[in-house]
Amino acid sequence: MLLDALEIVTDPRIERTKRYTLQEVLLSAFIAILDGARSWRDIQYSALIHLDQLRQFLPFVNGIPSHHTYSRVFQLINPETLEMAFRQFAQEIIKALDCDIKIINIDGKQMRGATAAGGSTVHLLSAWCHDAGISMGQLKVNAKTNEITAIPELLDKLHVAGALVTIDAMGTQKEIAKKIVQQKAEYLLALKGNQSSLSDEAQQVASNYAPDDAFEAQPESINGFVFERSAKVFKVTARRFKTAKDWEKLARIVQVTCVKTHKKTKQVTVDIRYYITNNKTFSAEQYLTATRNHWGIENGCHWQLDVTFREDASRKYKGNSAENFSRFLRLCLNTVKTINFTDSFRNASMRNKCKRIVHSKEYLSQVLYGISGGAN
């Protein structure tokens, strides 16, 4: 229930200056953003259009705030309290969908438009629940290189027990692997040049030993190319893998191969990647699926934020506005999962589903007061 979750957010304003409650500011901003508004002025006018509808949920005795008020409040709100509300809402969705969380993807994203005068770009670290198709949480970091220190902090804020946490090569660090295991979860970490010796050892294992399991997926034809994907799994032993003791409960090396063939030119490209994991139960087929699912955070979250919600076009950078506004865009993304569209909107675009929710009292009530079903 979003209204209950928003009550967690701490109001940063002085009491005597308030003409609108914080819930009124946040709710009206949420409805406007869900309906497509992006600038503070657009949010004000969109909220004015929906004023009668908004008054069905909160009083709005003084009407709709000005665009200056929206801007000021988003600059001042403590992102941590808004993040707590965001995570509570995400957990309510997962609970209502009765979703068994098996895979959590962690990756970073830059808000390219939110660049301050000094040239610093807002960089956000996000956690994506692949099974529910929702964003579970986010954390602002100073730069991409600081993801290494931010990942453990984000993990501390999430419920990851029992899940497989997938992270790209930036997060392939001993302390991160240890943190994941301490939280009773499992890791699947990519290997690249930042772990050259580890990557070399993985390649040697794959070259010198027979796999304990292997799987070849059916070829896929996509945009003029044929993709042939396969995976091989190798058990980790002290004899095979000298640095195994340095990685918390390291159990398997996974080799994933993708052969891409251009249909017309027959040009072939081979991409081989290696991963380490403490998981002992997955088959080669499951590992192949898990490595592909990691990009769900790119397609299901980052792509939607850029294309549907135009996050990269945002020029908000003052105070906490960029981070807080991005969190509202993720709220909109998650909101669609709270609705089980049974009408012609079942196959509508994300943008049109958002607008459908805004213009339906029934759907809005489900979002704000209670969640029923999930959207396809």
Side-chain angles (χ1 to χ4, degrees), residues 28-39:
S28 56
F30 170 73
I31 297 299
I33 294 168
L34 192 63
D35 202 28
R38 294 296 176 261
S39 71

Side-chain angles (χ1 to χ4, degrees), residues 82-93:
L82 188 55
E83 172 66 10
M84 290 171 60
F86 176 85
R87 292 199 305 270
Q88 176 174 309
F89 186 54
Q91 288 301 316
E92 289 287 343
I93 296 173

Side-chain angles (χ1 to χ4, degrees), residues 18 41 51 63 66 120 131 150 173 181 183 234 340 351 374:
K18 297 178 186 178
R41 197 178 292 275
L51 180 56
S66 69
S120 58
D131 306 282
Q173 307 291 329
V181 173
Q183 294 190 236
F234 303 85
N340 182 16
R351 182 180 291 110

